[in-house]
Amino acid sequence: MDYNRFWLPPDSGLFWTGADGDLFWGNVAITLPTNVGVAKARFLLRGNTQLFESPLSRSTQTLELTGARWEATFELPPMNRAEAAVWIAWLTEQLGMAGRFFAGDPSMKTPRGVATGAPVVGATNQAGRILATAGWTPNVTGILKAGDFFSYNTPTMWRQMHQVITDADSDSGGVAVLEIVPSMRELPPINTPITVSSPTCIMRLATDEMPAWDIESALIYGISFSGIEVFK
């Protein structure tokens, strides 16, 4: 997908349909360039918690809140001018934190599990960190494995990415119950398609200064940038 010609005003109240059916409100997310791959990345899930520590006993209570989000830093290999120009144009098009882009863990594009079938959300009114799914190849041990990622589009035309934290098997009906992080932010409708190959979430640049690059005397370019997941 290449959405870089389909930006909409944030207050337009409109949405645009991508070539593969993805729908997104407001500013349309764009894909990362593919001419040069990422050389190094740091990916993390930042929790959203409240902590209370008693000043008398030092006993601690922690409350998990909705809003855990994916964050990442991407570093590209040294590039010549022609290679770097594609990434520089992509970065400047983001206009700092105003832009949106799809990103995932570049080391986890392919699941460790078997991950065959046509997986979908398997039940209505699901929330929290347990997701029932359907459509998998029946009777497969390890249909997904701990550490595997998947994503799906949400009812508000956004995208949610989860990581499986325990191995999951499919039963005779192709159903698999997944234990996931982070918690679901929206109730995914039944039969929502699930993506297991190159899953992504939607991010913005971490700061307005991120569209920057380094240039050496031999016209070798260095580029790195950080992204933070954004929600509707």
Side-chain angles (χ1 to χ4, degrees), residues 77-145:
M79 293 177 286
N80 60 34
R81 181 182 177 185
E83 294 168 331
V86 177
W87 278 94
I88 291 171
W90 180 88
L91 280 168
T92 54
E93 184 180 15
Q94 293 293 311
L95 296 174
M97 294 186 290
R100 301 289 183 264
F101 60 92
F102 294 107
D105 185 336
S107 71
M108 300 278 190
K109 292 182 178 181
T110 303
R112 296 193 306 124
V114 179
T116 51
V120 296
V121 174
T124 59
N125 297 321
Q126 299 192 78
R129 290 173 48 189
I130 302 294
L131 179 66
T133 61
W136 303 99
T137 302
N139 297 316
V140 174
T141 299
I143 194 71
L144 288 180
K145 289 185 173 292

Side-chain angles (χ1 to χ4, degrees), residues 2-230:
D2 182 3
Y3 295 150
N4 61 353
R5 295 294 178 266
F6 295 94
W7 289 84
L8 296 173
D11 58 352
S12 66
L14 302 174
F15 63 86
W16 179 78
T17 306
D20 61 356
D22 290 346
L23 302 175
F24 299 101
W25 290 95
N27 285 353
V28 177
I30 63 176
T31 54
L32 297 176
T34 57
N35 66 314
V36 175
V38 172
K40 183 179 179 181
R42 181 176 186 265
F43 218 84
L44 66 99
L45 179 63
R46 186 176 298 279
N48 185 29
T49 61
Q50 286 185 341
L51 177 68
F52 174 77
E53 184 177 89
S54 169
L56 300 177
S57 65
R58 298 297 186 190
S59 62
T60 301
Q61 293 181 330
T62 306
L63 176 64
E64 177 191 353
L65 304 173
T66 302
R69 66 187 184 186
W70 298 107
E71 300 181 8
T73 297
F74 302 97
E75 182 178 329
L76 300 171
M79 293 177 286
N80 60 34
R81 181 182 177 185
E83 294 168 331
V86 177
W87 278 94
I88 291 171
W90 180 88
L91 280 168
T92 54
E93 184 180 15
Q94 293 293 311
L95 296 174
M97 294 186 290
R100 301 289 183 264
F101 60 92
F102 294 107
D105 185 336
S107 71
M108 300 278 190
K109 292 182 178 181
T110 303
R112 296 193 306 124
V114 179
T116 51
V120 296
V121 174
T124 59
N125 297 321
Q126 299 192 78
R129 290 173 48 189
I130 302 294
L131 179 66
T133 61
W136 303 99
T137 302
N139 297 316
V140 174
T141 299
I143 194 71
L144 288 180
K145 289 185 173 292
D148 286 343
F149 284 85
F150 67 92
S151 61
Y152 54 83
N153 293 339
T154 72
T156 59
M157 314 305 177
W158 214 242
R159 181 169 294 178
Q160 178 99 40
M161 184 172 72
H162 300 286
Q163 187 174 43
V164 179
I165 61 174
T166 58
D167 291 356
D169 307 327
S170 61
D171 65 14
S172 59
V175 172
V177 178
L178 309 179
E179 188 174 358
I180 60 174
V181 292
S183 299
M184 289 171 268
R185 293 184 58 84
E186 300 180 42
L187 303 181
I190 190 170
N191 294 325
T192 297
I194 290 172
T195 298
V196 295
S197 178
S198 298
T200 57
C201 62
I202 296 177
M203 290 187 164
R204 63 166 171 82
L205 293 178
T207 73
D208 282 334
E209 296 178 355
M210 279 295 170
W213 51 95
D214 300 316
I215 311 165
E216 296 182 359
S217 58
L219 291 183
I220 300 299
Y221 290 72
I223 297 176
S224 63
F225 62 95
S226 297
I228 298 174
E229 185 181 11
V230 289

